[in-house]
Amino acid sequence: MSPLFVLSFHCTIITMSAGCAEIVRSILRPYTENWTATDVDYAEMFLDFVHASPTENERQLYDMSEQIICRGNEVLDDLSLYGDGPREAAVQALREGSDEEKVRCALTMEPYIRRIKEAYAVSKNIQQVLPKLLWELCSGPLPPLEQLESRQALLRQFTTIVVRLMIKIIWLIEYSLEVQNPSMINHFSIYRRLTSTINALHHAQDIQMDNDVTWFLATANSMTDVLYKTTESFMSESPSLPRDNTIDTLYTIVRLSCAILSSPPSSPLSMDTRLFVQRVLVGCVLLFDSVHPQGSFSRESIIDMRSIISVLSKDENHKKQLLHPLLIQVNQTKKAPVSPKVRQMLQSV
């Protein structure tokens, strides 16, 4: 698979002038004959959120999430270069040898073990910040659209986490980390044994953390699983917030993404903006599928997957990269039976 699927996850800010946004609004209207007035409002609001600035009250959460987004990108890029890791040092460490030789093995392995621990640390940071963002976006008191509009900067941070982490992680797992994960687990286990038996290293072990990292690595879709479970925990552990609030918010993001992507290719949208919206659509469909009882792909789903696939398929340059995560999810889902037509459309791309 081409590395193009990694899809440019640098920590950059997409900008659009107010004049450009107004031009897009004027172009959207003639092409929305089959939309409701609300759909047009969705598209217009979404055009502006990509460069929204946080209010004073939002600044702390915005900055916290920005740090996690940037660090997450760095860690995932680093893991994608893990390769064989410290394979030779790990093999040598299993042989009978002097403490001096084992110390050398442990020191060779240490930078790779640090990468693994940093990935785990990012997952813990996501568990901390995602519920805070979800609360701001889902708790009201306004209806979903108006609430999102009033929290545009935080909406941007939430969708950026979903886009830059979830989709990138799925690609890494499917084409890279899926192969490396057993090696990482093995290397981490060997390193733990080395550092627990060699006094010369003066290594203070955190047994609980090491156990947590081991469980983290043992999960096939480690980071993606964190996003799914954190969202589900937020919905389950917020007694004052109905589950439907979160579901409605995710559905609203999916709907407004479709609205803006239904504009004609000739509209003055930058390629970066269009690609970002496409990735938001894919990421939120996946997240919606993880938390809704009927998922995103069944006949009973409120998500119109056939329209979404059609919209994404119009981008000939990126459609395979965009639709492949959806096909992975369809092949792995254990929820309501997938619509045969949806499965067929995804498999035919």
Side-chain angles (χ1 to χ4, degrees):
M1 173 59 67
S2 166
L4 284 174
F5 184 65
V6 179
L7 297 177
S8 181
F9 292 91
H10 303 296
C11 296
T12 57
I13 296 177
I14 300 172
T15 60
M16 181 188 297
S17 69
C20 181
E22 186 56 40
I23 292 173
V24 175
R25 291 190 186 100
S26 65
I27 290 178
L28 276 175
R29 289 191 177 93
Y31 289 87
T32 58
E33 293 179 0
N34 297 323
W35 296 357
T36 66
T38 305
D39 286 321
V40 178
D41 291 340
Y42 280 7
E44 293 185 354
M45 183 276 289
F46 196 56
L47 287 172
D48 293 333
F49 104 98
V50 293
H51 58 86
S53 299
T55 64
E56 190 62 32
N57 290 336
E58 295 171 342
R59 173 61 66 182
Q60 183 176 2
L61 180 55
Y62 181 94
D63 290 345
M64 179 194 305
S65 54
E66 185 69 17
Q67 291 175 5
I68 293 171
I69 289 166
C70 292
R71 186 58 186 144
N73 278 318
E74 292 171 0
V75 168
L76 289 172
D77 285 341
D78 200 24
L79 280 181
S80 70
L81 302 175
Y82 189 89
D84 292 332
R87 183 175 61 179
E88 293 184 9
V91 171
Q92 182 65 35
L94 294 174
R95 298 171 182 162
E96 290 296 329
S98 65
D99 282 356
E100 184 176 304
E101 290 173 327
K102 292 183 177 181
V103 167
R104 283 199 297 270
C105 290
L107 293 176
T108 299
M109 297 178 72
E110 187 172 328
Y112 294 92
I113 301 305
R114 190 180 304 119
R115 294 183 187 182
I116 293 172
K117 288 187 173 182
E118 287 174 352
Y120 171 74
V122 167
S123 77
K124 299 300 289 183
N125 290 335
I126 291 172
Q127 287 177 291
Q128 293 174 353
V129 76
L130 197 64
K132 298 178 188 297
L133 290 170
L134 283 169
W135 178 263
E136 292 295 328
L137 299 178
C138 304
S139 61
L142 301 172
L145 175 60
E146 286 80 359
Q147 184 71 15
L148 292 177
E149 189 171 13
S150 71
R151 301 287 189 276
Q152 291 185 44
L154 299 183
L155 170 62
R156 176 187 170 190
Q157 298 303 76
F158 170 75
T159 53
T160 301
I161 288 175
V162 172
V163 166
R164 293 183 177 173
L165 297 185
M166 180 183 289
I167 299 180
K168 186 171 185 179
I169 291 159
I170 288 174
W171 182 86
L172 286 172
I173 289 168
E174 184 70 7
Y175 297 103
S176 181
L177 293 185
E178 187 177 85
V179 177
Q180 296 171 2
N181 240 36
S183 297
M184 290 181 181
I185 295 172
N186 188 41
H187 298 161
F188 190 73
S189 177
I190 292 171
Y191 182 80
R192 287 185 69 180
R193 290 204 298 271
L194 282 175
T195 55
S196 66
T197 58
I198 303 174
N199 293 330
L201 288 173
H202 303 294
H203 182 81
Q205 281 195 310
D206 185 335
I207 295 176
Q208 183 59 54
M209 179 181 176
D210 287 349
N211 289 339
D212 291 342
V213 173
T214 300
W215 279 108
F216 172 72
L217 290 174
T219 304
N221 303 335
S222 304
M223 285 283 197
T224 310
D225 195 56
V226 167
L227 286 167
Y228 292 160
K229 288 185 175 179
T230 302
T231 303
E232 179 58 43
S233 295
F234 168 78
M235 296 170 66
S236 302
E237 297 171 7
S238 304
S240 62
L241 185 67
R243 291 178 62 89
D244 283 350
N245 281 39
T246 305
I247 289 173
D248 289 346
T249 298
L250 292 174
Y251 174 69
T252 300
I253 297 173
V254 168
R255 186 176 173 184
L256 63 83
S257 299
C258 281
I260 187 61
L261 292 175
S262 295
S263 60
S266 58
S267 64
L269 279 176
S270 71
M271 180 60 70
D272 285 343
T273 301
R274 185 172 291 278
L275 285 175
F276 184 77
V277 176
Q278 290 171 333
R279 296 162 191 164
V280 169
L281 176 55
V282 172
C284 286
V285 164
L286 294 174
L287 191 53
F288 183 95
D289 183 65
S290 74
V291 299
H292 193 279
Q294 298 298 330
S296 297
F297 304 100
S298 69
R299 287 176 175 172
E300 295 77 17
S301 176
I302 62 173
I303 298 285
D304 184 358
M305 282 307 307
R306 294 170 67 174
S307 294
I308 289 172
I309 295 169
S310 297
V311 167
L312 294 174
S313 296
K314 293 177 181 178
D315 187 340
E316 292 293 335
N317 293 327
H318 301 95
K319 65 179 182 180
K320 289 186 178 180
Q321 296 94 331
L322 291 165
L323 293 175
H324 192 71
L326 301 179
L327 180 58
I328 293 173
Q329 191 83 342
V330 161
N331 290 336
Q332 295 178 349
T333 186
K334 297 179 181 178
K335 295 195 173 184
V338 174
S339 164
K341 181 61 176 178
V342 168
R343 186 185 296 275
Q344 180 187 7
M345 290 177 72
L346 288 172
Q347 290 176 338
S348 65
V349 174

